[in-house]
Amino acid sequence: MTLAICAQDISKNYNIQNVHTRALDTISLEISAGEFTLLTGPSGCGKSTLLAVLSGMTKPDRGTVQSGDFVLTAASDQERDAFRLHKCGFIFQGFNLFPGLTAVEQVQIPLDYLKIPEERARQRAERALDSVGLSHRKHLRPAEMSGGEKQRVAIARALVKKPAILFADEPTSALDRENGERVVAILRAIAHRIGSAVLCVSHDLRLFSQADRILEMEDGKLRRDLRRPRT
Ligand SMILES: Nc1ncnc2c1ncn2[C@@H]1O[C@H](COP(=O)(O)OP(=O)(O)OP(=O)(O)O)[C@@H](O)[C@H]1O
Ligand SMILES: [Mg+2]
């Protein structure tokens, strides 16, 4: 299995107005390409902080994070921005779509940043929308779409550049059961078909049966690491 990210002994503390929080406490972890990994644990245990550290958005106080030869924890802000642009996709609970843009325009944005020519970018954006079952919605703006459709646009935007690593933070929590299951099936397919390492934070127990691996956190520590044989 190819390793997408390797983290060693990472710790992260927050000190705000004399309140000291140990958000991550000496966590070591490897995330593999082609695997759909679920990250779970109680509110405040450090899941979002862990995603931020693994994607280079936040620097840990101690420890190293590495992707291939690239050491995120030794890199400059600019180098980490470039790493995220070229290697990572992100999906969040609140969709984060631009109100004025149509679905296909939203999905095209990352390709514009990557300076992919307009015509090819448009074709790839349309294919990505097709892969999440939204070809027929490509000209709609967010206000004209359901929550499930908006989340699928956000997924298409994250997968259109075929990211090595896809980070998702509670992507199903604003969705009903049917849409939630659909989103999870798409995330799983991204890992298995595109070969991305998909790391998804979720509280939703119903999603567990879909994961290749389940990581459980508590109080900033990794408590359990359960890998399932592929079916
Ligand atoms: N920017 C920050 N400044 C200060 N404290 C923070 C900050 N971000 C997170 N924390 C604290 O760090 C701890 C871990 O937060 P984190 O957001 O990683 O938890 P989480 O597991 O994602 O929780 P949830 O399931 O509620 O989203 C919490 O106690 C939180 O209050
Ligand atoms: Mg969180």
Side-chain angles (χ1 to χ4, degrees):
M1 237 178 305
T2 318
L3 287 184
I5 293 200
C6 176
Q8 267 185 317
D9 296 324
I10 47 174
S11 293
K12 175 77 187 171
N13 298 302
Y14 291 110
N15 286 301
I16 302 229
Q17 293 170 345
N18 292 331
V19 179
H20 175 83
T21 307
R22 176 162 281 201
L24 300 176
D25 186 359
T26 47
I27 286 188
S28 295
L29 175 67
E30 291 170 346
I31 303 290
S32 305
E35 251 188 356
F36 178 35
T37 303
L38 214 58
L39 176 61
T40 188
S43 181
C45 72
K47 304 179 295 295
S48 296
T49 306
L50 182 59
L51 289 200
V53 166
L54 294 180
S55 62
M57 264 186 296
T58 301
K59 270 201 169 183
D61 301 329
R62 278 184 302 283
T64 57
V65 180
Q66 196 164 342
S67 178
D69 295 334
F70 181 65
V71 183
L72 279 75
T73 37
S76 67
D77 290 353
Q78 261 179 342
E79 288 168 331
R80 283 183 288 133
D81 287 347
F83 168 77
R84 277 197 301 281
L85 175 63
H86 291 277
K87 301 281 187 190
C88 305
F90 295 90
I91 303 162
F92 299 102
Q93 180 178 355
F95 319 134
N96 294 31
L97 300 178
F98 294 96
L101 299 186
T102 65
V104 70
E105 288 166 347
Q106 317 262 3
V107 176
Q108 217 179 310
I109 294 172
L111 303 180
D112 295 342
Y113 278 118
L114 288 168
K115 304 205 178 357
I116 297 198
E118 162 77 23
E119 186 65 17
R120 265 185 56 210
R122 176 62 58 134
Q123 284 167 2
R124 279 177 63 177
E126 289 184 358
R127 274 207 302 276
L129 280 174
D130 192 28
S131 73
V132 297
L134 282 182
S135 303
H136 61 304
R137 292 281 187 264
K138 66 182 174 191
H139 296 305
L140 296 189
R141 292 187 168 75
E144 300 152 348
M145 285 184 276
S146 73
E149 288 170 344
K150 280 187 270 195
Q151 192 57 300
R152 281 186 281 148
V153 173
I155 293 176
R157 184 181 55 188
L159 72 82
V160 71
K161 59 181 174 181
K162 298 190 165 58
I165 311 147
L166 182 66
F167 295 98
D169 201 344
E170 311 222 20
T172 63
S173 59
L175 304 179
D176 62 23
R177 181 172 164 212
E178 195 184 328
N179 277 299
E181 283 173 357
R182 188 164 190 174
V183 160
V184 168
I186 294 169
L187 293 177
R188 185 178 149 94
I190 294 169
H192 294 182
R193 299 211 192 118
I194 299 180
S196 307
V198 179
L199 182 59
C200 175
V201 171
S202 181
H203 291 292
D204 192 342
L205 289 167
R206 289 177 309 216
L207 312 187
F208 284 29
S209 62
Q210 298 295 310
D212 300 313
R213 182 183 181 193
I214 296 167
L215 300 169
E216 206 177 305
M217 283 183 73
E218 194 184 20
D219 289 337
K221 285 186 189 303
L222 215 49
R223 289 292 183 209
R224 280 211 308 172
D225 183 352
L226 187 78
R227 198 178 246 119
R228 268 218 207 83
R230 282 275 185 98
T231 47

